[in-house]
Amino acid sequence: MVIIALAIFFVTVYLYLAIMGQAILTKELESLTHRKVTIGYFSLTPDLKLEIKDLEIQGLVKLRSIAVSPSLTGLLKGKLILNQLTLIHPEFFLNKAPAEVTDTKVSTVVIVPSVAQVPESRKSSPLPFGIKRFNIKEGEVTFVDQTVSSGSIKITVKDINSTVKNFFLYPNPAVTDFKLEAAIPWRDNEAQGRVELGGWLNSFKKDIRATLKISDIDAVYLYPYYSYWVNLDKARIEKARLNFSSEIHGLNNNVTLDCHIELLDMVRKPLEIGESEEKASRITNVVLDRFKAMDNGKVELNFAIKTKMDSPQFGFDNFQRAFEDKIMRGRSPTSFKLQDTIRFPVKMIEGGAKSFMDLSRAMIDGIFAIGDELKNSTGEMLQPEEAQKEDKKFNP
């Protein structure tokens, strides 16, 4: 009798979900995201395998199809374990909008849309959740940043193919393996950047080992992120390509990122007949020559970032300090003093106090175009007030 009763209960629940599942899922997603949700196709098999096609959450995500295969054994143990979750051609849309400015302080930024807070009355302990295998095929992410000086910039990451194995949000001895490859089409009809990420992590021991590579970065395309510091026109820079790589290793929550940036090539604007060279251009020439002399003709920079796995932070100051240290190491004891011979305004356009910090801005002007973007999602960008404090350190 018990078996018959359970069978009847299971069949009843299955038929209800098979018939009403699409409406229930649509309603829940709309409640969660506060966006219109449409689903083109919904299928649930008796073994609870779920397939969804043509899912769209307006302004947030579009997916060609989703395939979900749950673990029945896990459900019987009170755990929501997915044997496999596969997303085919998902398109995600992210928008970074400026927050409202209060008083005279520069505002921080927020990502919209934000997930609504769940009322206390609806909060409950969720089932332990895990995914044994998570796949993304032909994915795409479009990111629009409305906080840059130019007003907005759009960055698209496409052809995303990723695999994650053994990801659990509850104590589990399994190690999570992950791999991701993607392309970044900076401009139409031009060479694309490539992203490669792979490694493993133990989220409960807080150990990690991974490698990140971003090749063929279009430094000029990312100019809105560092335009406050430099002026590409005055430095006569038309094109610049960079490679970035990082070896990530961590133990017991302490993570170190050994980073390497290399300038692949740069195209400079020729001077017109009778045109005098801007100071920013002369500074760029000096910096490039110094780096090439130190690295056998290459222009590269190595630096380390130390952070925590449970609260990662990445700052432009890591790059800035590494650059200044290398410039100082490259000085000959008998050579002229850079501070005495290569001075220019704190703001390349507006003028201001003179300092060695300005050489950093010239270097960014000529080479490392990605600047502040190294930590755009986890840390605060260096604001003008902070820049002024840094200038005072070098100009008491």
Side-chain angles (χ1 to χ4, degrees):
M1 291 296 294
V2 174
I3 295 177
I4 295 175
L6 288 175
I8 294 173
F9 173 76
F10 175 81
V11 171
T12 302
V13 171
Y14 165 71
L15 291 175
Y16 175 76
L17 292 177
I19 297 171
M20 300 299 298
Q22 181 171 337
I24 293 172
L25 180 60
T26 300
K27 181 178 179 181
E28 288 298 319
L29 289 175
E30 287 181 341
S31 176
L32 179 66
T33 63
H34 303 286
R35 302 263 178 153
K36 182 180 179 181
V37 176
T38 57
I39 297 176
Y41 174 82
F42 180 95
S43 172
L44 182 66
T45 62
D47 58 354
L48 301 184
K49 290 183 179 179
L50 175 65
E51 184 179 9
I52 299 171
K53 295 182 179 180
D54 299 324
L55 168 65
E56 180 176 0
I57 303 176
Q58 190 177 49
L60 187 60
V61 62
K62 292 173 61 177
L63 297 105
R64 181 181 299 168
S65 69
I66 308 173
V68 183
S69 177
S71 169
L72 298 180
T73 303
L75 289 174
L76 293 175
K77 294 180 179 180
K79 298 177 181 178
L80 181 56
I81 307 298
L82 304 182
N83 288 327
Q84 185 160 311
L85 172 61
T86 301
L87 308 182
I88 304 296
H89 195 61
E91 298 178 56
F92 300 95
F93 306 96
L94 302 176
N95 183 46
K96 186 177 182 181
E100 294 183 0
V101 179
T102 58
D103 298 328
T104 58
K105 294 182 179 180
V106 177
S107 63
T108 57
V109 296
V110 296
I111 298 290
V112 295
S114 60
V115 177
Q117 293 186 350
V118 179
E120 291 293 335
S121 60
R122 293 183 58 187
K123 288 184 178 180
S124 60
S125 298
L127 289 176
F129 177 75
I131 304 177
K132 292 184 179 180
R133 188 178 182 88
F134 174 48
N135 299 313
I136 296 178
K137 298 180 180 181
E138 301 177 8
E140 184 172 317
V141 175
T142 299
F143 173 63
V144 178
D145 192 345
Q146 297 178 334
T147 67
V148 296
S149 59
S150 62
S152 68
I153 182 173
K154 183 172 77 171
I155 299 175
T156 300
V157 183
K158 61 185 301 185
D159 298 331
I160 301 172
N161 291 286
S162 176
T163 300
V164 180
K165 299 178 181 178
N166 299 320
F167 176 73
F168 298 96
L169 295 179
Y170 65 89
N172 189 297
V175 172
T176 301
D177 295 303
F178 55 89
K179 181 180 180 180
L180 180 146
E181 295 180 346
I184 307 178
W186 301 107
R187 306 167 192 268
D188 295 335
N189 303 319
E190 292 196 17
Q192 297 185 131
R194 296 292 305 175
V195 179
E196 298 178 39
L197 173 65
W200 61 265
L201 67 87
N202 187 318
S203 57
F204 297 97
K205 290 184 178 181
K206 293 184 172 61
D207 301 338
I208 187 172
R209 181 74 181 183
T211 300
L212 171 64
K213 295 180 180 179
I214 307 177
S215 57
D216 288 322
I217 300 170
D218 188 333
V220 175
Y221 186 83
L222 296 175
Y223 179 59
Y225 282 112
Y226 58 95
S227 59
Y228 170 80
W229 299 95
V230 299
N231 187 308
L232 289 186
D233 288 335
K234 291 188 176 183
R236 298 191 298 109
I237 298 174
E238 286 186 332
K239 295 182 180 180
R241 289 192 306 123
L242 306 169
N243 277 352
F244 172 84
S245 63
S246 179
E247 292 294 331
I248 306 167
H249 45 90
L251 185 65
N252 297 326
N253 199 37
N254 296 310
V255 180
T256 300
L257 296 84
D258 293 320
C259 303
H260 175 80
I261 296 178
E262 182 177 356
L263 176 68
L264 300 180
D265 60 61
M266 178 185 294
V267 177
R268 305 288 296 279
K269 296 178 183 178
L271 289 172
E272 300 291 340
I273 298 177
E275 180 184 5
S276 61
E277 189 172 20
E278 296 276 0
K279 190 174 295 185
S281 179
R282 297 198 301 270
I283 294 296
T284 300
N285 296 336
V286 171
V287 172
L288 288 172
D289 290 343
R290 174 154 295 185
F291 268 63
K292 289 177 180 179
M294 295 173 67
D295 295 310
N296 298 318
K298 296 182 178 179
V299 179
E300 58 186 12
L301 184 67
N302 298 302
F303 59 98
I305 299 175
K306 296 185 180 296
T307 185
K308 299 290 184 180
M309 183 182 291
D310 58 4
S311 57
Q313 296 183 0
F314 311 95
F316 173 66
D317 54 341
N318 300 107
F319 162 81
Q320 189 170 344
R321 285 195 298 267
F323 163 71
E324 292 171 357
D325 290 344
K326 185 164 185 175
I327 285 293
M328 294 303 293
R329 290 198 307 270
R331 291 177 58 193
S332 169
T334 59
S335 67
F336 54 80
K337 293 183 179 181
L338 289 177
Q339 295 95 322
D340 295 336
T341 59
I342 309 177
R343 295 188 174 186
F344 56 101
V346 172
K347 290 186 179 180
M348 301 295 293
I349 302 175
E350 300 175 7
K354 299 175 181 178
S355 73
F356 183 69
M357 291 289 287
D358 297 328
L359 190 57
S360 300
R361 295 162 196 171
M363 178 62 178
I364 305 165
D365 191 350
I367 306 175
F368 300 106
I370 55 177
D372 297 341
E373 186 61 9
L374 289 175
K375 55 100 184 224
N376 59 21
S377 62
T378 55
E380 298 297 332
M381 288 188 178
L382 189 64
Q383 302 292 355
E385 292 181 0
E386 295 171 320
Q388 294 172 8
K389 293 180 182 178
E390 291 293 328
D391 286 335
K392 291 180 180 179
K393 292 181 183 179
F394 291 89
N395 297 272

